[in-house]
Amino acid sequence: MWTYSCSPRIVPVDLVDPFGRTIRDLRISVTDRCNFRCTYCMPAEGMQWLDRADVLTFEEIERLARIFVERYHVDGIRLTGGEPTVRAHLPVLIRKLSTLRVPEGSRSPLAGRKPDIALTTNGATFRLVAHELRDAGLDRVNISLDTLHADRFIAMTRRDELFRVLDGIEAAKEAGFSPVKINAVVQRGVNDDEVVDLARFGREHGVEVRFIEFMPLDAEGGWARDQVVSQDEIVAAISAEFPLEPVPARGAAPADRWRYVDGAGTIGVIPSVTKPFCGDCD
């Protein structure tokens, strides 16, 4: 008596949507929970969190990511939330994802190597895990910072954590992440007077600030188009102080980018309202 078994051969194919876009990036929300209550993202109270039994385990996330990487040539994985760093033992997940390999026959520049692994965080607890995440295989980090004023930070996030976020940015640099990117949502009448100050912060600290047009996430039903500060306004304000020149087309990335003429780094702008890019995004 004998048995015969054979594992099916995975045939890599590009993942192409009905609009002809080849999908290379996978975003995974590891938790719906967050330690901030940003006014444009969440209500102050009353959030109904997912039961922990309904949240994917690290093993389930790894399995899904493996399918996307090995079968569909996805070469970029971004972990988000909520706030991903509130998920316990996050370096364990990064280490699991770091074992994945983009197929050798892929047209990806990362063929034969691990996918690019990135994290979006509010930075408040990043100091606690920065080095561990880097050692586990995290490649890049984006940290949210909408204002440099402590009182305004409290009003926008409903948390007194500006000093921890700034420390988290320093921790990211110390851990070897490069470039460290800063996400700044710009709202007219709220923090639009800080556009140049945030750009200056990026220049002085060696980080790339990515300004984001105020999108209709509408956490509390208060979004209005007149609160949107356009990409053109943002670039003009910065360039008047620190002359800019455009960087070539972004491709499938969400941000248009400019470099400082004096060589002191770059900025990005995500023009989600005034210049929608959904047709190019992957």
Side-chain angles (χ1 to χ4, degrees):
M1 180 178 178
W2 58 275
T3 60
Y4 174 80
S5 64
C6 180
S7 299
R9 179 174 178 267
I10 295 178
V11 179
V13 294
D14 284 336
L15 187 62
V16 181
D17 75 2
F19 297 96
R21 298 174 294 191
T22 300
I23 308 304
R24 296 292 188 201
D25 289 320
L26 176 66
R27 300 177 72 93
I28 302 173
S29 175
V30 299
T31 181
D32 62 332
R33 298 168 189 263
C34 188
N35 47 3
F36 283 8
R37 294 293 183 272
C38 297
T39 54
Y40 53 76
C41 184
M42 284 187 177
E45 303 291 345
M47 290 294 297
Q48 297 296 313
W49 308 113
L50 290 172
D51 188 281
R52 293 188 186 278
D54 294 328
V55 177
L56 291 175
T57 66
F58 286 170
E59 290 73 22
E60 290 169 327
I61 292 173
E62 178 192 11
R63 181 184 178 192
L64 285 170
R66 185 177 298 279
I67 291 171
F68 277 96
V69 171
E70 295 183 354
R71 181 166 298 194
Y72 299 115
H73 298 188
V74 162
D75 60 11
I77 299 173
R78 176 170 293 277
L79 302 182
T80 67
E83 168 49 42
T85 61
V86 305
R87 179 80 183 256
H89 310 300
L90 188 61
V92 173
L93 175 59
I94 299 293
R95 197 167 288 110
K96 288 178 179 293
L97 297 178
S98 294
T99 67
L100 304 179
R101 293 295 179 268
V102 180
E104 290 281 359
S106 172
R107 288 190 289 271
S108 165
L110 296 180
R113 298 159 55 190
K114 80 175 185 67
D116 179 75
I117 304 174
L119 179 80
T120 299
T121 173
N122 62 34
T125 59
F126 198 69
R127 164 69 68 181
L128 303 177
V129 292
H131 284 83
E132 196 174 355
L133 289 173
R134 183 67 173 163
D135 292 343
L138 184 66
D139 297 297
R140 296 184 295 115
V141 62
N142 290 56
I143 298 177
S144 297
L145 177 66
D146 298 332
T147 177
L148 296 169
H149 299 296
D151 56 343
R152 189 174 288 176
F153 188 94
I154 294 170
M156 295 183 74
T157 67
R158 303 186 180 101
R159 297 292 186 270
D160 186 7
E161 298 284 3
L162 176 59
F163 69 103
R164 294 191 190 276
V165 175
L166 296 175
D167 186 52
I169 293 169
E170 289 304 310
K173 293 163 57 182
E174 292 167 12
F177 292 102
S178 180
V180 175
K181 294 184 179 179
I182 306 301
N183 291 346
V185 176
V186 183
Q187 291 179 255
R188 194 179 307 281
V190 177
N191 65 339
D192 55 317
D193 58 334
E194 289 190 72
V195 166
V196 174
D197 290 340
L198 286 164
R200 182 180 291 106
F201 175 87
R203 287 168 57 88
E204 292 176 352
H205 290 82
V207 297
E208 179 179 316
V209 182
R210 288 156 43 109
F211 297 92
I212 303 172
E213 290 183 350
F214 181 45
M215 294 180 283
L217 299 176
D218 229 12
E220 297 184 331
W223 184 86
R225 192 177 181 89
D226 61 8
Q227 292 177 296
V228 177
V229 181
S230 71
Q231 173 178 279
D232 291 344
E233 292 176 87
I234 292 168
V235 172
I238 296 171
S239 196
E241 183 76 16
F242 308 113
L244 295 166
E245 59 185 9
V247 174
R250 65 171 178 256
D256 290 321
R257 298 175 70 236
W258 286 260
R259 66 171 65 92
Y260 293 109
V261 173
D262 64 6
T266 58
I267 66 161
V269 183
I270 299 178
S272 47
V273 177
T274 64
K275 299 180 182 180
F277 47 84
C278 293
D280 299 322
C281 181
D282 67 351

